[in-house]
């Protein structure tokens, strides 16, 4: 392992070696490589504490201190790094940081711990293994190593699935190049990935190792390590067939770049890419299929400036989108005669008295039938909506969907003018078909603002209330002695009819602007994406209602999630 120390066969293992080695491996093979220095420090300090003075083998205790010094030096904690190296040298005076981990800062802290003496250089001629001794790479995963492979051909790497493991990552180093990281994909009963042709087109030794992680990101197993990787001889010709995934044929050789026709996307001609977290130096090196871009030297979720290859499919936009939203309606209200018989019969307005009884527009004691003036909009109904949208084209960010919901705060039911029986109730259900188009490049995958416009139509009703509208008394009830004229018209002779000499009286009513129950609408807004597949939406919709005609404006706030 990268964090393992080769111990002599004579060394006696301590009782806590296993637990300490596991923490050491997690710290150096995972946290260190992913620049999580604080987590690496925490694990190493825990391992050192568990080992104590005698719980672990001497060289392992020294190694833990050396690794802690490496972490602290890389984190900029130079004085603490020097103390860690000094503690390691106290345990084993021959201990030194591994070459793969040694940077100028690490070397400076180590030299300070040794009192200015340089770390001993590695032997020029390291001892050769005894005759018959195999160089076996440590592994606790079910992986069949690849020993040789043909040049300019994708190199398949496969590992069997492990219980409790959520992710496998292969780290490889092409001949003469830096380390590259690729996440392995589910494949049958295991995980696999192909190292692309661009990294196998030169003969020589390609090195690799595999790291398994659980859902929390902790290392659960490895096959090889950065210090002791598997080695693959990349050759112009090999004996027999090349490596292959289980049950599959070996991959075909890639075409040479000189043989690639312009615009042809074939093995060897396509732009090879790397996965999340891998090092990169410019556009086109990170996997667009995973929605990645080269940002600040590593492959991260995002898009690249100037990356315009015209294929219209720069990232895997989610095809299905669910939404949950709250919508507030406002209606355009204005005009006179709002409490008249004609307004009642057209269904545009219905007026109600303080008692909750509908105002009878056929019996006004006077000519005032109500006038709405002031602000042109009145607050109306509210509705909760559940939505589903489906992406119908990879080339264009066009979605077709539906909104279903229920409205609240509608007006009271109207009454028949002749019989007084309940006539029309508020239509609370909401059903809507919608076509939505997102604007801009990578409109359904980029983080941040995603603007959109839409057309829709369906069935719904909007009611908006305007309070305190003065109208002539409808004289709908017979007065009794001492009754308030504002509540009814006077009847002094007991014939059940208002006195002809009475002057008209005025009462306040609530006028409900009623619209529906079918509509067409246009709207627009934005989704603020907090991840490639989720975000908060905000939009404004203008609806034209039919039946009881009118214009309504709705403001909607919601949450969307793609899958």
């Amino acid at each position: 392992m990268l964090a393992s120390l080769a111990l002599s066969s004579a060394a006696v293992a301590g009782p806590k070696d296993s637990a300490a080695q596991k923490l050491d491996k997690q710290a150096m093979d995972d946290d260190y490589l992913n620049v999580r220095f604080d987590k690496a420090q925490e694990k190493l300090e825990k391992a050192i504490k568990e080992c104590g003075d005698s719980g672990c083998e001497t060289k392992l205790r020294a190694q833990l201190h050396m690794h802690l010094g490496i972490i602290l030096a890389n984190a900029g904690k130079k004085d603490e790094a020097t103390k860690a190296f000094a503690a390691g040298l106290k345990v084993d005076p021959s201990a030194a940081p591994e070459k793969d981990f040694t940077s100028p800062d690490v070397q400076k802290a180590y030299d300070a711990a040794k009192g200015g003496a340089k770390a001993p250089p590695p032997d020029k001629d390291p001892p050769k293994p005894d005759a018959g001794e195999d160089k076996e790479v440590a592994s606790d995963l079910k992986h069949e190593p690849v020993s040789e492979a043909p040049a300019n051909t994708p190199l398949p790497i496969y590992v069997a699935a492990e219980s409790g493991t959520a992710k496998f990552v292969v780290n490889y180093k092409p001949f003469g190049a830096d380390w590259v990281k690729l996440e392995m994909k589910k494949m049958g009963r295991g995980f696999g990935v192909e190292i692309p042709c661009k990294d196998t087109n030169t003969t020589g030794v390609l090195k690799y190792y595999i790291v398994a992680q659980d859902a929390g990101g902790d290392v659960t197993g490895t096959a090889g390590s950065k210090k002791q990787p598997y080695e693959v001889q990349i050759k112009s010709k090999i004996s027999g067939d090349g490596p292959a995934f289980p049950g599959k044929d070996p991959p075909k050789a890639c075409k040479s770049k000189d043989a690639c026709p312009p615009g042809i996307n074939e093995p060897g001609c396509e732009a090879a890419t790397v996965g999340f977290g891998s090092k990169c130096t410019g556009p086109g090196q990170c996997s667009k299929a995973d929605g990645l871009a080269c940002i600040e030297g590593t492959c991260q979720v995002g898009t690249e400036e100037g990356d315009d290859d015209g294929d219209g499919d720069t990232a895997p936009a989610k095809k299905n989108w669910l939404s949950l939203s709250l919508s507030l309606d406002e209606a355009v209200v204005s005009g006179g005669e709002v409490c008249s018989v004609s307004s009642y019969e057209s269904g545009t307005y219905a007026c109600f008295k303080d008692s909750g009884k509908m105002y009878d527009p056929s019996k006004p004691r006077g000519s005032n039938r109500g006038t709405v003036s002031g602000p042109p909009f009145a607050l109306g109904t509210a509705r909760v909506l559940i939505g589903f949208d489906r992406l119908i084209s990879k080339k264009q960010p066009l979605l077709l969907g539906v909104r279903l919901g229920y409205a609240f705060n509608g007006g009271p039911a109207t009454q028949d003018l002749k019989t007084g029986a309940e006539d029309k109730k508020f239509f609370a259900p909401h059903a809507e078909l919608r076509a939505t188009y997102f604007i801009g490049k990578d409109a359904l995958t980029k983080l941040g603002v995603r603007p959109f416009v839409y057309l829709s139509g369906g069935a719904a009703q909007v009611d908006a209330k305007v309070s305190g509208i003065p109208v002539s008394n409808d004289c709908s009830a017979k007065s009794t002695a001492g009754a308030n004229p504002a509540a009814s018209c006077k009847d002094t002779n007991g014939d059940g009819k208002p006195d002809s000499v009475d002057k008209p009286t005025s009462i306040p009513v609530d006028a409900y602007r009623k619209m529906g129950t079918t509509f067409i609408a246009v709207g627009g807004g934005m989704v603020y994406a907090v991840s490639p597949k989720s975000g908060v939406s905000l939009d404004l919709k203008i609806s034209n209602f039919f039946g009881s005609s009118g214009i309504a404006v709705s403001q909607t706030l919601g949450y969307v999630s793609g899958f």
Side-chain angles (χ1 to χ4, degrees), residues 344-347 412-415 422-426 514 548:
Y344 169 83
E345 291 178 341
S346 67
T414 59
Q415 300 162 359
E422 189 175 89
D423 187 11
K424 297 178 182 179
K425 291 184 177 181
F426 173 69
K514 292 182 170 292
S548 297

Side-chain angles (χ1 to χ4, degrees), residues 191-491:
F191 289 76
V193 71
E194 284 187 348
I195 295 176
C197 288
K198 74 178 185 68
D199 293 325
T200 65
N201 58 10
T202 302
T203 57
V205 176
L206 181 146
K207 301 178 181 181
Y208 77 94
Y209 65 96
I210 301 170
V211 177
Q213 298 174 322
D214 60 19
D218 290 332
V219 174
T220 59
T222 59
S225 67
K226 189 173 183 179
K227 183 179 179 181
Q228 192 181 21
Y230 295 108
E231 296 185 353
V232 184
Q233 295 292 333
I234 304 298
K235 302 178 179 179
S236 299
K237 292 182 180 181
I238 64 172
S239 58
D241 295 332
F245 291 122
K248 304 288 185 180
D249 293 330
K252 295 181 179 179
C254 299
K255 290 187 177 182
S256 65
K257 291 297 180 181
D258 294 338
C260 290
I264 298 299
N265 188 21
E266 301 180 359
C269 295
E270 78 283 358
T273 58
V274 293
F276 182 83
S278 299
K279 293 181 180 180
C280 58
T281 58
Q285 298 177 14
C286 302
S287 173
K288 289 183 181 179
D290 294 324
L292 305 179
C294 186
I295 301 173
E296 297 181 353
T298 60
C299 291
Q300 305 176 33
V301 174
T303 57
E304 295 168 337
E305 293 293 333
D307 181 18
D308 186 11
D309 55 14
D311 62 7
D313 187 24
T314 57
K318 300 301 179 182
K319 293 183 178 180
N320 304 293
W321 294 85
L322 292 176
S323 63
L324 178 64
S325 55
L326 173 67
S327 183
L328 300 179
D329 305 318
E330 290 183 294
V332 178
V333 292
S334 64
E337 301 289 312
V338 297
C339 297
S340 65
V341 173
S342 61
S343 292
Y344 169 83
E345 291 178 341
S346 67
T348 54
Y349 281 93
C351 299
F352 293 83
K353 294 181 284 188
D354 290 342
S355 63
K357 186 174 182 180
M358 194 180 84
Y359 175 79
D360 189 342
S362 66
K363 300 178 180 180
R365 183 58 176 155
S367 60
N368 184 7
R369 292 173 175 81
T371 298
V372 176
S373 59
F377 291 96
L379 187 63
T381 40
R383 61 198 67 230
V384 174
L385 303 174
I386 296 175
F388 173 77
D389 294 280
R390 171 77 176 183
L391 179 64
I392 62 173
S393 171
K394 288 186 177 181
K395 299 298 181 182
Q396 297 294 333
L398 177 64
L399 295 88
L400 295 182
V402 63
R403 299 293 184 276
L404 300 175
Y406 195 86
F408 304 91
N409 202 34
T414 59
Q415 300 162 359
D416 186 275
L417 295 180
K418 295 181 179 179
T419 66
E422 189 175 89
D423 187 11
K424 297 178 182 179
K425 291 184 177 181
F426 173 69
F427 182 75
H430 181 106
E432 176 183 355
L433 297 177
R434 181 178 293 191
T436 305
Y437 184 83
F438 280 79
I439 302 169
K441 183 175 176 62
D442 300 333
L444 288 173
T445 56
K446 67 180 180 180
L447 301 182
V449 176
R450 301 176 183 175
F452 62 84
V453 293
Y454 62 87
L455 295 173
S456 68
Q461 181 173 332
V462 169
D463 281 6
K465 175 182 174 182
V466 182
S467 300
I469 303 298
V471 295
S472 296
N473 198 325
D474 61 357
C475 302
S476 59
K478 181 179 178 180
S479 291
T480 58
N484 184 356
S488 180
C489 295
K490 291 182 179 180
D491 175 20

Side-chain angles (χ1 to χ4, degrees), residues 78 123 133 237 441 475 557:
K78 298 179 181 179
D123 294 336
E133 181 183 356
K237 292 182 180 181
K441 183 175 176 62
C475 302
L557 177 67

Side-chain angles (χ1 to χ4, degrees), residues 7-31:
L7 304 178
S8 68
S9 59
V12 179
K16 298 183 179 180
D17 278 5
S18 179
Q21 286 171 343
K22 183 176 180 181
L23 289 169
D24 189 31
K25 179 172 66 175
Q26 291 175 351
M28 301 306 291
D29 284 2
D30 185 33
D31 294 330

Side-chain angles (χ1 to χ4, degrees), residues 1-2 4 29 133-147 179 206-210 222-232:
M1 312 306 300
L2 183 75
S4 299
D29 284 2
E133 181 183 356
D134 294 329
K135 181 184 178 183
E136 183 178 349
V137 176
S139 173
D140 44 24
L141 300 177
K142 296 178 181 178
H143 168 65
E144 187 67 31
V146 179
S147 59
W179 285 95
L206 181 146
K207 301 178 181 181
Y208 77 94
Y209 65 96
I210 301 170
T222 59
S225 67
K226 189 173 183 179
K227 183 179 179 181
Q228 192 181 21
Y230 295 108
E231 296 185 353
V232 184

